[in-house]
Amino acid sequence: MKRCLNCLYTVATVNGRLQAWRPKAEFFCQTKIPKNVQEAERVGFLSRFVRLVDGLNDWIGRGVAWLVIPMVVITFLVATLRYGFAVGWVSMQESYMWLYGIIFMIGAGYTLLHEGHVRVDVFYRPASPRYKAWVDLFGSVFLLLPVITMVVIYSYPYVMTSWHRLEGSHETGGLPGLFLYKTVILIFCTLMFIQGMSLAARSILVLAGHREFEIKEEEHEGV
Amino acid sequence: MSGEILSLVMFAVACGVLLLGFPVAFSLAGTGLAFALLGDALGVFDMPLLGSLPSRYFGVMTNELYVAIPLFIFMGVMLERARIAEKLLTTMGMLFGTMRAGLGISVVIVGMLLAASTGIVGATVVTMGLLSLPAMQKAGYNPRLSTGIICASGTLGQIIPPSIVLVLLGDILQGAYAEAQRALGNWAPEPISVMDLFAGAFIPGLLLVGLYICWIIIQAFIDPKAAPALVTDKRPEGLWGEVLRALLPPALLIVAVLGSILTGIATPTESAAFGSIGAMVLAALYRRLSWDVLRYVVRQTVQVSAMVFVILLGASVFSLVFRGLGGDHLVEELLHNLPGGVFSAMLVVMLLMFIMGFFLDFIEIVFVVIPIVGPILLKMDIDPVWLGVMIAINLQTSFLTPPFGFALFYLRGVAPAAIKTWDIYRGIVPFVLIQLLGLCLVGAFPFLATWLPGVLF
Amino acid sequence: QEVREWRMVTTWPKNFPGLGTGANLLAEYINKASNGRMNVTVFGAGEIVPAFEAIDAVGNGTVEMGHGAPYYWKGKVDATQYIAAMPFGLNAQEQNAWFQWGGGQELADKVYSELNCKFFPSGNTGTQMGGWFNKEMNTIDDYKGLKMRIPGLGGEVVKAAGGNVVNLPGGEIPPALQSGAIDATEWVGPYNDLAFGLYKSAKFYYYPGWHEPATVLDNFINLDAWNSLPDDLKAIVEQANRAVNQMVLSEFTARNNQALQTLRDKHNVDVRPFSDDILTNLGALSGTVLRDLVASNPLSQEVFESLIAFRTQSIGWSKFSESAFAQARILPFKY
Ligand code: NA
Ligand code: NA
């Protein structure tokens, strides 16, 4: 069995035939499927869904990660310009705040994909893959998805009101498009919702015996 | 009344759900939602109250103070990639290693220096575990002592400012304190800020460093084999120059970050930005700044920040429902009716947090427990800086308490197989006791926490 | 008997001096006068929603009513900031006259209907102070490069004068002033400024508060909730607001008197007037800046024109009444 560590691309022999899986589509992964290997037929709807969603959130998360650099630089500039040159703009202060919000809200789905959200793993960590899959299935269906649904129900009118008014900053000289920033809440919900569905689908696949969908521990910094 | 009982049941159920192992944020929020629906059906909860959620989320997204958190994370991960800790550890080891207990002490000092420049627990423990654990093993250190030293020193970043715990605590205590004082009829309470907390935690942090070092020396005297000197008794040529060169970068960062905060030149957020740029410059000077490193650092920053803030979002559902059911009144009555007043209320809360620390991460404790007990304690006219520092020491300890101590996990992840998990768990016990001793000292002598902010501001 | 359980969110920390007590009084009056048919519970900023979100929580029915200051909603409906206060605009007495006899209430209701709310003036700070400065302010040129925390329309004027307007969270203001991160900040008046401890971080306390000659506080009620009230309860809410409007202004007047004395006698604060040069220039700038700002927004323009018309009349009369008397009373005679 061969495996690409980057994207979990797997080549294995099933029923005497070489087959390949790509549970996480990595847009940038260079691993090619060898000519004599067929992409697995039994990779059905669920795994295609997992692959699509994981790929999307991964791509978005990697993109949004680069916003950290302007956030650092703008915050630095705001302070330096004020002390050094006595100039400053409220809109500039708000722009690093927007970046901060965008980073953690839009990066939340990406973080779920990469197992970045803390679990109380007294029992979870040493448990079997099947236990983990059951917990993740239960958790996605009865905890995560309902919560996100509720947040959407309450946020949608909230964000729409803001659009209706084309709401701007309440600060003098602030950024005008506050309604755009508020919309980030709905984007957060969308990305978390599909990632939650992907987690549920992944758990079903594991319970059905597709070991390649088991969640691997990743290096994680913590705070 | 039935709502209040329901709120307690919810708390118990949440603990059970958390133990299953699903991500904390959704375990808390999901339990909260379930009890909101239940409370609504029983007529003791108002569903429209949940309509405040988007506003609350937006409040988090526009909290200027919280911007410091991703910045400190960025800085910490960048420093780790710049291998500044590595350089410090090797030179400090060479400097002190030839003395008995010297290697252990140098690990504590490196932990302290890293803590004062930023202090990401994971990065610090992993780096020190990778570098100094083998060195201590080679020198013949007792594995329990050496793992204990690394874990404890690695968590100093949470108590020695700048610290994410203190930023979060500062924000919560600020409002709670003003509210409590006004309830007491004091119309002009001194405002407290994150900087007050930073200044307040400084001396208690150094106190802990001192206690760790004392313990290592005591060990070395009781049992010379536990912390022996390195076999090579010669220091290499030009060592002092090396030491200076290793010390300079973290020293500069500490001055830039802590100096700018404690003198009030910069807000915590701005000083975190200074530190982040500083860390990048240092990484560039060390020729470690590449696209690969930058990519790694920004991705880690996203993941860790999202983790912190999504717990905050989840916890806010939970606490909103808890409040809506009237749970806060129940806790208030409970704490107010304790015999012995302030002392026993403080003791109960500290004990509660210590016990929760065995199972929960500090962020959950900050977001779930402090908003409930903070205002109640502060209404007993407790010094807010002192309370904040006590809580911070307690939370720092939660990184060290098995079974769910992050520092222990991180070290387990990088420790060689020869070190048994049991060694790590046994080794941390004296350090947890030291933490409790530190907590008692600050508890008994509040000026340890309140003196410096009084002088500075 | 049906009991209407209402929640009131506020933009103030719970029990905040002067501002927050208005909300508490309002709830108390309504609850008592309705003889238990209404029960209003007050929540501080952040308890249910953050301060700047209070009006949305009311508009969308999360809660029934709220208490704050109109300029907090300027990002949502621009005209609200003119209702709150205008640089070199009306004083408290004139503002109330405008609401009750100058068509102000109708205009404000029109503005607030955009937020799905009913509006009541519900408190007033009276004339504020110019702010705390660490630089001496002698001519308008001293505003060039001045780093000042001053939100709202006053901030626009300071910016036009060449100042550098900074936005800081409340708790960070004293240390920022202390360290020179900012040169100046405005806050409210002596009562709140004393409580905030600003005298510890600044050298000079300038007057008058040209940027907020008086600031209106607002009580906003979800329109559906308001319309569901029978006429007698409507009257109770209306009268409660009139009483609170007066009580808050009186509280500010009484406490400012004492607080200014404490600041001068106990804390030796250097209280200084803005020079005529500064006030003349800021006054002229205010007119230009405000006219520019309202030009693009018909509703704001409507409110502004109405206020300006009332302002012209008020100046005409005040010159011979309040202003003249205030000048007379401080002539150097023994009393
Ligand atoms: Na630290
Ligand atoms: Na623990």
Side-chain angles (χ1 to χ4, degrees), chain B residues 46 48-60 64-65 174 178-179 182-183 187-195 263-268 270 320 323-324 328 456-457, chain C residues 7 13-18 21 43 46-50 53 56-57 60-64 167-169 171-172 174-176 178-181 191 194-197 199-200 251 255:
Chain B
D46 241 0
L49 202 55
L50 292 175
S52 61
L53 280 177
S55 294
R56 291 175 147 232
Y57 286 10
F58 195 66
V60 175
E64 167 104 31
L65 209 50
Q174 233 166 50
E179 184 191 327
R182 282 190 293 270
W187 295 96
E190 303 258 329
I192 64 156
S193 67
V194 171
M195 299 171 209
T263 55
I265 292 175
T267 64
E270 289 164 353
L320 190 67
R323 207 166 188 150
D328 50 345
L456 281 178
F457 307 121
Chain C
R7 294 192 181 89
K14 215 169 186 176
N15 304 322
F16 196 80
T21 44
F43 293 87
E47 279 194 88
I48 293 182
V49 284
E53 298 292 321
D56 278 350
N60 70 23
T62 300
V63 295
E64 291 78 12
N167 167 24
L168 282 177
E172 311 299 339
Q178 184 115 47
S179 69
Y191 177 32
L194 173 66
F196 202 33
Y199 58 88
K200 283 184 256 177
E251 184 185 355
R255 306 260 195 192

Side-chain angles (χ1 to χ4, degrees), chain B residues 114-120 156-164:
Chain B
L114 292 177
S117 37
T118 161
I120 305 274
L156 282 170
Q158 295 304 307
I159 183 77
I160 295 182
S163 129
I164 292 168

Side-chain angles (χ1 to χ4, degrees), chain C residues 93-111:
Chain C
Q93 201 169 334
E94 292 157 0
Q95 273 169 337
N96 286 329
W98 179 67
F99 282 124
Q100 283 158 17
W101 299 97
Q105 176 71 49
E106 292 72 22
L107 262 179
D109 272 334
K110 183 173 170 187
V111 171

Side-chain angles (χ1 to χ4, degrees), chain C residues 101-124:
Chain C
W101 299 97
Q105 176 71 49
E106 292 72 22
L107 262 179
D109 272 334
K110 183 173 170 187
V111 171
Y112 275 67
S113 70
E114 304 258 315
L115 296 154
N116 196 34
C117 287
K118 166 78 186 155
F119 165 91
F120 287 110
S122 185
N124 200 305

Side-chain angles (χ1 to χ4, degrees), chain A residues 81-88, chain C residues 133-137 139-150 157-166 180-184:
Chain A
L81 287 177
R82 181 156 79 236
Y83 303 125
F85 306 93
V87 289
Chain C
F133 290 72
N134 274 326
K135 264 176 73 178
E136 238 177 290
M137 302 301 288
T139 70
I140 190 72
D141 289 333
D142 291 329
Y143 272 96
K144 294 221 163 67
L146 182 83
K147 290 169 281 183
M148 181 162 186
R149 193 214 72 104
I150 172 169
V157 177
V158 167
K159 213 163 33 170
N164 175 14
V165 176
V166 180
I182 56 174
D183 303 316

Side-chain angles (χ1 to χ4, degrees), chain C residues 78-310:
Chain C
D78 182 65
T80 52
Q81 60 181 332
Y82 303 94
I83 294 173
M86 283 200 320
F88 294 92
L90 307 180
N91 69 20
Q93 201 169 334
E94 292 157 0
Q95 273 169 337
N96 286 329
W98 179 67
F99 282 124
Q100 283 158 17
W101 299 97
Q105 176 71 49
E106 292 72 22
L107 262 179
D109 272 334
K110 183 173 170 187
V111 171
Y112 275 67
S113 70
E114 304 258 315
L115 296 154
N116 196 34
C117 287
K118 166 78 186 155
F119 165 91
F120 287 110
S122 185
N124 200 305
T125 66
T127 305
Q128 303 199 355
M129 284 293 279
W132 298 86
F133 290 72
N134 274 326
K135 264 176 73 178
E136 238 177 290
M137 302 301 288
N138 295 319
T139 70
I140 190 72
D141 289 333
D142 291 329
Y143 272 96
K144 294 221 163 67
L146 182 83
K147 290 169 281 183
M148 181 162 186
R149 193 214 72 104
I150 172 169
L153 293 169
E156 297 281 5
V157 177
V158 167
K159 213 163 33 170
N164 175 14
V165 176
V166 180
N167 167 24
L168 282 177
E172 311 299 339
I173 294 171
L177 201 53
Q178 184 115 47
S179 69
I182 56 174
D183 303 316
T185 183
E186 66 83 52
W187 195 237
V188 189
Y191 177 32
N192 293 94
D193 295 14
L194 173 66
F196 202 33
L198 286 166
Y199 58 88
K200 283 184 256 177
S201 327
K203 287 195 196 125
F204 312 114
Y205 195 21
Y206 273 95
Y207 65 91
W210 55 270
H211 60 291
E212 292 185 57
T215 300
V216 174
L217 310 183
D218 59 353
N219 171 228
F220 35 98
I221 303 174
N222 179 284
L223 265 183
D224 304 320
W226 171 252
N227 290 329
S228 79
L229 291 182
D231 284 345
D232 57 338
L233 286 182
K234 275 186 180 165
I236 285 173
V237 172
E238 188 172 356
Q239 294 307 323
N241 267 307
R242 289 208 175 138
V244 167
N245 197 24
Q246 184 55 49
M247 282 297 279
V248 171
L249 179 60
S250 306
E251 184 185 355
F252 271 105
T253 308
R255 306 260 195 192
N256 278 336
N257 292 348
Q258 299 163 355
L260 185 71
Q261 208 174 340
T262 310
L263 284 171
R264 297 184 69 167
D265 299 347
K266 203 172 141 206
H267 302 298
N268 299 317
V269 170
D270 189 348
V271 186
R272 296 187 172 201
F274 283 121
S275 66
D276 285 352
D277 176 65
I278 287 181
L279 291 175
T280 312
N281 281 293
L282 288 178
L285 277 173
S286 298
T288 329
V289 167
L290 261 56
R291 263 173 233 285
D292 277 358
L293 282 175
V294 295
S296 59
N297 188 319
L299 191 55
S300 301
Q301 178 111 38
E302 193 182 344
V303 172
F304 179 75
E305 294 301 346
S306 167
L307 277 163
I308 285 297
F310 204 85

